[in-house]
Structure formats: structure tokens, C-alpha cells
Amino acid sequence: MSKQILFFLLSVCFVSMKLQAQKFPTLRYEDKTYETTIKTVAVYPSPNQLQDPARTTYPPVISLSAETPLFAEFDDLTARFRTFRYKIFHCNADWTPSTLSEIEFTYEYNDYPINNYQASFNTKVPYYHYTLEIPRLKLSGNYLLVVYEDSRLAKLVFTRRFMIYQPRVSIFPQVRLSTGITEQRAYQQIDFDIDYKGYEILSPQEDLKIVIRQNFRWDRLITKLRPTNVRIFDQKLEYRPFDLSNNMLAGNEFRWFDTRLSRGVGMSVDNIEQLPDQTVARLRTDASRAGGGATFQAQDFNGQYIVLNRDAANSTNEADYINVVFTLQSQQYPNAQVYVGGAFNLWQKEDANRMTYNADRNAYEASIYIKQGVVNYIYYAVQDDGKTNETAFEGSFSQTSNDYEIFVYHRPPAARADQLVGYRLVEFGRR
């Protein structure tokens, strides 16, 4: 490649990134919802049927050669029609923006309208439901979906991450109880091998970037793993670190509740109150599980949720938003804020899911609007120093069932961005 062409491409990339920063000055390359009225955002592989209620339990990861696309959907509780558009950005393994120009990873002009929408029907809480199909892309790697309001270019609505992989290497994982003596009861260990036969890696010890994710959560990651053994002649890498850096807290089985019937009391629901403008579901009082053992839950989706209204033909726009009241019986946790979270609210630590302490009842309380269905959740404490403690009320037990994903990134010679060359999902303890 001549110096002139290289300079031109770099100039195009610089200008593209500069314009992007100007258009979205507050853009963050992470899963984030910028408006409080935007709810139930999901990105998932195309299900067999778009009405499949389990679609939101699958991670937004597909192969580059997949015949079916990724879909995204969300609700706007402003209850007025708005026009939205979206763009897609390519990112490196660490979720920093890559220097690729849009024409290098898209087949079309990278600015798409969202034309598929429905108004809510027969619900107390009105909303508009929007759906979009993510177009095919040219390269593997990390991507950011950016949705914004059409009439206000700088008005971000939400961002969500998704991944496209091209299987250049094979991953052979084994999830088991930790081999550490003091970690055996609370931690799980992810050992794995990578076979890179037929794929050129100049420096196997250094060139691959590994990310392990638990239960599709971006706040539960293992990174910076290096192979403990390089078998050059077999073209295999072994990852079994002696420092237990491939260990992760196992947690506990998730709590859950069922609001699929708004006029009936579902599992874990104590009572339902029908008000003119809303339905209130008070859950049974929860207690700390830190001193017990792993608790088997029949509807444990490893933190995910399912949208479903059993009284409706189409839950996407006929499932109502219910004011769910959580109560956690507990002494006040010192020097910390307590939150209730799950995939339904991105495990956020915000005012919307922060619990308040009721000294008269000796309990933490919170009320959150959540779309009808089956929802997994847990309680966690955020200490004054910013550290999150998920074992304070839930405990951690090595027999807990969890999903683990292994992502393998590589930047080929002369490439200007990280590509996702291997992906594997492994289930541990699934019942």
C-alpha cells in the first residue's frame, strides 16, 4: 500500500471519528440507557418466532456467516410517537472505538431509520414498542448499537453492545469447582484450550486477547489471561493459571417472580392491587441467603427475564408495566447503599433501583416498574468506596448454575482493529 493511500485512509478514519464525537458528544461505549422512559431494551439472535418469549434470554452474539440476523427492541413510555434512528460502530476488544471507517465494516450507508413500531394495547401504562433488525456486517468483532432521536441528532436514547465472531480458532472449555483450597466453596474455575490449526498467529503467547463473561454481564469479566502452556507443534494453547486468575465468584441461584397474570397472584407474589392507572404487585418478603447454601430455583434464567402476558395474544405490546414492590428483611447494611437488579435493568446502581431502609419494618424496600413476565433478580450492596458486594445478601456457592462465554480476539498482521476469531458458550450446572 502506498504512503498516499495509507495517509488518505487514516485521514478518512480521523474525520469519521471526529464527526462521530461531534454528533454524539455524550456517547459511552457500553450498555447504557440515556432516557428514564426507555424500558425493556433487548438485543438477541433471531428466534424461530419473533413472539418467542425466551428470546430475551439469549446473548447478542452471532457468527459472521449466520443466515439469521440480530434483532433489537425497546419500549418508549412517553406514550407519544417519536421517530428514532440508529447507527453502528465497530470497537476493539476493550470496547474503545476502532479506527475503521464505516465502509470497511458496513454494506450500506450507516444511518438507519426505525420504522417498525406498535402502540400498546389494553394496558394501564401506555407505551410505544419499537423493533429493528440489525443489518449484515462485513467484519467480526465488537459492535455498538446507538439509537437516537431523529429530530435531535445529539439526543442519545440508548446504546447496546453486540458481538459478531468468525470461528478461526476452536475453544475447548471446562468449568468446575475451584482448585484453590479456600476458594472451593464459593468460586468456579474456567479452564480451556485453544486450537489454532490453520490460522496464522505470529506470537501465540502474546497475540490473543481473552475475555470470559459470566451470565452475559459486563460487570462480571475475566481479562488479561495469558496461556500457561504453548504447544507450538500441536498449535494449541492451554489456559490453567496457577494464580487462580481464571476463578470467579459463583454467586447463588437467582430469585424470581411471576407476573404473567396481572389479575392473579403468581409465584413469589404476595398480593396484587388493581388501581385505575396502574397495577401494583407486592412480592413476598425476601430474607438474606448468605448463611445458607445454593438455592435451587425452578425459573432461574441466570439473571435474565421473559416478557409474557398470558391473557394477551401479543405480549410485545399487550404486556403491561407493573409496579413491583420488593421487600428485603434485613438489618441495615453499614456504610453502603442496597440495590435490586438483574438483566431487566442492566444491573444498574441508580436511584431507580436503589432500596430505602424502613426502620419500622426492619427491611429494605423498593418499587420498580417492570414489564409483565418472569423476572430474575438479586440484592447487592454498594459500599461507600464504590465496591459492589453481591454476597452480602445472596452468598456464593460453587454448586450454583452459571453460563460462561469465552471470547477470543486477535488483530491480524496489518489490520487496524481487533477481530473476534473465537467464541464459546458453556453452561455449568444447568438443571
Side-chain angles (χ1 to χ4, degrees):
M1 181 183 294
S2 69
K3 292 183 179 179
Q4 291 85 352
I5 296 176
L6 179 59
F7 177 78
F8 173 75
L9 288 176
L10 290 175
S11 299
V12 170
C13 294
F14 175 77
V15 171
S16 176
M17 292 178 68
K18 188 175 181 180
L19 290 174
Q20 171 184 317
Q22 292 174 348
K23 187 173 183 180
F24 304 111
T26 60
L27 177 63
R28 294 165 60 176
Y29 290 80
E30 60 185 42
D31 289 359
K32 182 174 178 58
T33 303
Y34 293 82
E35 294 188 12
T36 58
T37 58
I38 300 299
K39 303 289 187 183
T40 321
V41 181
V43 183
Y44 49 85
S46 174
N48 293 329
Q49 296 180 354
L50 285 178
Q51 300 303 323
D52 179 7
R55 63 190 183 278
T56 54
T57 64
Y58 301 113
V61 185
I62 59 170
S63 168
L64 186 63
S65 60
E67 296 292 332
T68 54
L70 286 166
F71 282 88
E73 61 180 89
F74 62 97
D75 294 334
D76 180 7
L77 272 64
T78 60
R80 59 182 175 83
F81 173 75
R82 293 195 289 170
T83 55
F84 296 105
R85 302 185 70 86
Y86 69 94
K87 292 176 68 72
I88 296 169
F89 299 124
H90 189 278
C91 300
N92 290 312
D94 60 356
W95 291 99
T96 56
S98 73
T99 60
L100 298 179
S101 64
E102 295 177 345
I103 60 174
E104 294 181 85
F105 61 85
T106 63
Y107 288 100
E108 307 171 44
Y109 179 65
N110 189 16
D111 197 346
Y112 309 88
I114 301 178
N115 296 321
N116 192 351
Y117 58 89
Q118 296 174 294
S120 59
F121 177 73
N122 201 28
T123 63
K124 292 183 179 180
V125 178
Y127 60 88
Y128 271 89
H129 180 81
Y130 295 83
T131 305
L132 63 96
E133 178 181 324
I134 296 176
R136 286 192 60 203
L137 299 169
K138 296 178 181 177
L139 292 179
S140 69
N142 290 343
Y143 287 92
L144 187 74
L145 171 69
V146 180
V147 174
Y148 62 97
E149 191 169 351
D150 188 25
S151 60
R152 302 168 66 185
L153 296 181
K155 181 63 173 176
L156 285 169
V157 177
F158 68 84
T159 53
R160 287 297 185 274
R161 291 178 270 198
F162 65 94
M163 290 71 68
I164 298 179
Y165 68 93
Q166 189 171 16
R168 300 293 185 88
V169 302
S170 299
I171 306 168
F172 301 93
Q174 179 189 18
V175 180
R176 54 177 174 163
L177 309 188
S178 174
T179 56
I181 295 176
T182 60
E183 291 81 6
Q184 283 183 349
R185 293 181 180 274
Y187 286 78
Q188 293 169 349
Q189 183 166 308
I190 305 96
D191 296 329
F192 60 98
D193 298 337
I194 293 177
D195 187 329
Y196 61 95
K197 289 185 180 69
Y199 182 64
E200 181 182 11
I201 301 178
L202 298 181
S203 178
Q205 184 75 22
E206 305 287 343
D207 285 357
L208 297 183
K209 299 174 183 177
I210 309 298
V211 175
I212 300 176
R213 185 169 71 153
Q214 184 189 66
N215 295 333
F216 318 142
R217 294 176 57 178
W218 290 112
D219 59 344
R220 300 301 295 271
L221 300 178
I222 295 175
T223 59
K224 300 180 180 179
L225 290 178
R226 293 165 58 87
T228 52
N229 187 26
V230 180
R231 295 159 55 183
I232 295 293
F233 295 107
D234 295 329
Q235 293 187 295
K236 283 190 177 181
L237 306 174
E238 297 177 354
Y239 291 80
R240 292 169 180 79
F242 297 106
D243 63 357
L244 304 182
S245 56
N246 62 337
N247 279 217
M248 190 173 288
L249 272 172
N252 203 342
E253 306 294 346
F254 285 87
R255 305 173 192 259
W256 67 282
F257 65 85
D258 182 354
T259 55
R260 289 175 290 181
L261 293 172
S262 64
R263 297 188 179 277
V265 176
M267 290 297 295
S268 301
V269 178
D270 188 52
N271 66 78
I272 295 285
E273 183 180 4
Q274 298 290 343
L275 301 177
D277 61 341
Q278 64 174 315
T279 300
V280 180
R282 291 180 174 82
L283 304 187
R284 295 173 185 169
T285 300
D286 287 318
S288 173
R289 303 184 295 174
T295 307
F296 172 71
Q297 302 286 355
Q299 298 292 339
D300 187 329
F301 306 129
N302 287 337
Q304 307 305 305
Y305 64 92
I306 286 176
V307 172
L308 186 61
N309 178 0
R310 279 188 165 175
D311 292 327
N314 182 5
S315 294
T316 56
N317 71 320
E318 294 182 55
D320 208 347
Y321 278 84
I322 292 181
N323 189 0
V324 181
V325 179
F326 298 84
T327 304
L328 172 63
Q329 199 80 48
S330 170
Q331 296 294 325
Q332 191 165 11
Y333 196 85
N335 304 316
Q337 298 291 334
V338 176
Y339 297 83
V340 55
F344 74 93
N345 66 0
L346 288 179
W347 314 95
Q348 295 295 316
K349 305 170 184 68
E350 298 180 346
D351 289 344
N353 63 312
R354 182 171 58 86
M355 308 189 79
T356 56
Y357 193 72
N358 186 331
D360 294 335
R361 299 188 61 187
N362 196 31
Y364 284 96
E365 299 172 334
S367 60
I368 306 174
Y369 277 93
I370 303 175
K371 203 170 186 179
Q372 276 184 273
V374 180
V375 179
N376 283 191
Y377 68 99
I378 57 171
Y379 299 105
Y380 45 88
V382 179
Q383 297 163 192
D384 288 346
D385 60 4
K387 294 181 180 179
T388 300
N389 184 347
E390 289 194 7
T391 65
F393 305 106
E394 307 297 348
S396 183
F397 309 96
S398 56
Q399 301 88 356
T400 300
S401 63
N402 287 303
D403 290 327
Y404 290 96
E405 298 164 286
I406 301 175
F407 300 88
V408 180
Y409 297 91
H410 180 237
R411 184 172 297 196
R416 294 183 293 107
D418 297 332
Q419 298 178 19
L420 183 52
V421 298
Y423 171 76
R424 184 70 184 270
L425 170 62
V426 55
E427 300 174 347
F428 177 81
R430 183 61 66 92
R431 298 173 177 86

